[in-house]
Amino acid sequence: RQGSVHVVYGSDDLDAVVDLAKGGSALTISGRMTGELSPSALASADIDDDGADDLLVGSGLANAADDRPGSGVAYVFTEIASLPARIDLSEEDAPVSVFGGAADDRLGGAIDGGSISDGERGLVVLATQATAGNDGNNSGVVYVIPLEK
């Protein structure tokens, strides 16, 4: 079964209990495949510099479309308020998808974003099992990924 992310908007009259079985979420994002969108990590940050936070979702168990099982993925969902109530990633793409570079890199173990350098915006994403240079096999890598508007 695919995992899901549910977004519940806060307000002054938010119920003390939100039962997702009865609805209650403004946005539901379902993964591409079984186990892909656990999610491993969630964050919100203004990636597109429009003044509103965007949703960042990391999934370290995701497979890239080519032959890279477990490469992991980081998804960015911008303009959340204008998205449809349900997004099924097995049927449509996220606005931004960043896949790990090699099989079993596990990109998406941790994720954050925002201003990364002199007003440039982007993501900071952990690939827990990636290998960087000669630093040792599966030592892990933190990527800083600039994103254009």
Side-chain angles (χ1 to χ4, degrees), residues 6-98:
H6 298 273
V7 176
V8 178
Y9 295 127
S11 68
D12 290 338
D13 62 347
L14 183 65
D15 292 336
V17 175
V18 177
D19 185 348
L20 295 176
K22 297 177 182 176
S25 64
L27 171 62
T28 301
I29 302 168
S30 299
R32 291 182 314 133
M33 62 189 72
T34 300
E36 183 235 13
L37 192 61
S38 304
S40 305
L42 288 172
S44 64
D46 186 7
I47 296 297
D48 57 5
D49 202 21
D50 66 354
D53 277 359
D54 304 303
L55 179 62
L56 315 177
V57 179
S59 180
L61 298 177
N63 299 333
D66 57 7
D67 193 24
R68 289 181 283 159
S71 61
V73 66
Y75 296 116
V76 178
F77 295 91
T78 57
E79 301 178 9
I80 297 170
S82 65
L83 293 175
R86 298 184 96 27
I87 297 173
D88 184 342
L89 293 173
S90 68
E91 297 175 5
E92 58 188 295
D93 294 329
V96 177
S97 300
V98 179

Side-chain angles (χ1 to χ4, degrees), residues 2 4 17 21 24 45 64 72 91 137:
Q2 297 161 296
S4 297
V17 175
E91 297 175 5
N137 194 28

